[in-house]
Amino acid sequence: MRQEPGAKAAPGWPTAPVTRVVVLIACHNRRESTVRCLRSLIGQGGPKVSVRVVLTDDGSTDGTARAAREVWPGIHVLRGSGKLFWAKAMALAASAAGDYDFLLWLNDDVTLDPGALSDLLRAYGALSGSDKGDLIVVGGLRDPHSGAVTYSGVHRRSRLRPVRFTTVTPAESPVRAETMNGNLVLVPRRVVQRVGQIDARFSHGLADFDYGLRARRLGCAIWVAPGTLGTCARNTTAGSWTDPALSVRQRMRLACAPKGLPPGSWLRFTRRHAGPAWPVYWLSPYARLLAGAALARMRSGVRSL
């Protein structure tokens, strides 16, 4: 933390440090959502926090970049080809962050509560002041209609299921987690220096879970801040590779797409985090999908007899 360039203190008074936060956002053709997210960021942090925004616009054709500049003058917009997706787009944004005290990962479909950034920084200050070592602070999010927790930190379900995770419910005080959804995450500079940035070799998802697990392996802690700090509807499974209403061929095609469970990214994740039995965990989702198709064909054959 340091004083902003050009800031002057009154004679005889100590200079208050300014906390520099760089917000990293990736977007693609969600102009209204991105604008709403940026508007909710205005005024966050208070007078002692300097907020800059780096936005990777991954090939949007709906005027997102222009609208973002209107909402947040001075925003640094990077252009993508439309094939970066979340992991590569966020890694690109991080590469342009410059100097900072904290990075804030922020999904463009998040609407922050007033004071959300202050709450994250306050939680970080309380935890780091308790000599808990290097740490990441995650902001829990809720459904805008039901109020149910949608994204947060996560825990492994069990040692026997090392790549299955369950959402951590925020409490009145900070709660430990094993890793996190990347929708709202405060990452201090010292953690970045230790862990590095988001791994751009992932296609889209899994990069957030991977980052948290890598951070913990290197001795950093993952904490979920008290309460929920904004709204973000959970992604629907309809039309995705997990949608049972689709044919197996459709589901397999979607699974191999960047936003599904692409074999290369899943291989990278399981080899790093599933232990010695990683080949089993890597093969399992595809095998279950094919087995379900075979069972459906068998049942169809029995009914036709």
Side-chain angles (χ1 to χ4, degrees), residues 9 33 43 50 64 93 102 144 151 163 167 176 214 267 286 297 301:
S33 177
S50 167
T64 297
F102 296 92
Y151 297 100
V163 289
T167 301
R176 290 290 291 263
R214 284 193 288 127
L267 175 66
Y286 312 112
R297 284 197 298 269

Side-chain angles (χ1 to χ4, degrees), residues 183-205:
N183 303 56
L184 179 61
V185 182
L186 186 72
V187 186
R189 183 181 185 90
R190 56 191 293 176
V191 169
V192 176
Q193 291 171 335
R194 194 168 180 175
V195 181
Q197 295 288 4
I198 291 170
D199 187 347
R201 287 168 289 188
F202 284 96
S203 296
H204 178 66

Side-chain angles (χ1 to χ4, degrees), residues 60-293:
S60 294
T61 57
D62 64 350
T64 297
R66 182 176 63 254
R69 289 190 178 98
E70 291 174 356
V71 174
W72 195 280
I75 191 172
H76 187 177
V77 178
L78 303 171
R79 294 285 189 171
S81 62
K83 298 181 180 179
L84 295 180
F85 296 95
W86 189 84
K88 292 179 177 62
M90 290 292 283
L92 179 61
S95 72
D99 204 7
Y100 58 87
D101 298 304
F102 296 92
L103 295 178
L104 181 70
W105 299 359
L106 181 61
N107 268 25
D108 74 330
D109 56 349
V110 171
T111 301
L112 296 171
D113 292 341
L117 178 55
S118 296
D119 289 343
L120 284 170
L121 290 168
R122 189 178 302 111
Y124 175 83
L127 291 163
S128 61
S130 301
D131 194 29
K132 288 182 166 49
D134 290 339
L135 55 97
I136 293 169
V137 182
V138 183
L141 300 166
R142 63 188 181 276
D143 184 88
H145 304 294
S146 70
V149 175
T150 50
Y151 297 100
S152 179
V154 297
H155 277 310
R156 283 187 169 104
R157 291 186 179 180
S158 74
R159 292 183 179 180
L160 298 177
R161 307 180 80 179
V163 289
R164 289 293 189 95
F165 299 89
T166 186
T167 301
V168 172
T169 300
E172 293 183 1
S173 58
V175 182
R176 290 290 291 263
E178 289 190 77
T179 184
M180 68 278 180
N181 298 122
N183 303 56
L184 179 61
V185 182
L186 186 72
V187 186
R189 183 181 185 90
R190 56 191 293 176
V191 169
V192 176
Q193 291 171 335
R194 194 168 180 175
V195 181
Q197 295 288 4
I198 291 170
D199 187 347
R201 287 168 289 188
F202 284 96
S203 296
H204 178 66
L206 297 174
D208 48 0
F209 281 25
D210 169 75
Y211 193 90
L213 292 172
R214 284 193 288 127
R216 286 190 71 248
R217 191 173 294 162
L218 292 172
C220 305
I222 313 292
W223 289 87
V224 178
T228 55
L229 302 183
T231 59
C232 183
R234 180 168 288 280
N235 292 331
T236 179
T237 59
S240 75
W241 77 276
T242 59
D243 185 351
L246 300 179
S247 70
V248 173
R249 178 174 295 182
Q250 288 175 309
R251 292 176 65 186
M252 186 60 75
R253 177 176 56 80
L254 290 168
C256 294
K259 287 190 173 183
L261 193 68
S265 289
W266 186 232
L267 175 66
R268 189 170 191 78
F269 188 81
T270 52
R271 287 185 68 176
R272 279 182 177 174
H273 306 299
W278 69 262
V280 175
Y281 294 107
W282 175 77
L283 182 61
S284 177
Y286 312 112
R288 286 199 306 270
L289 187 55
L290 293 174

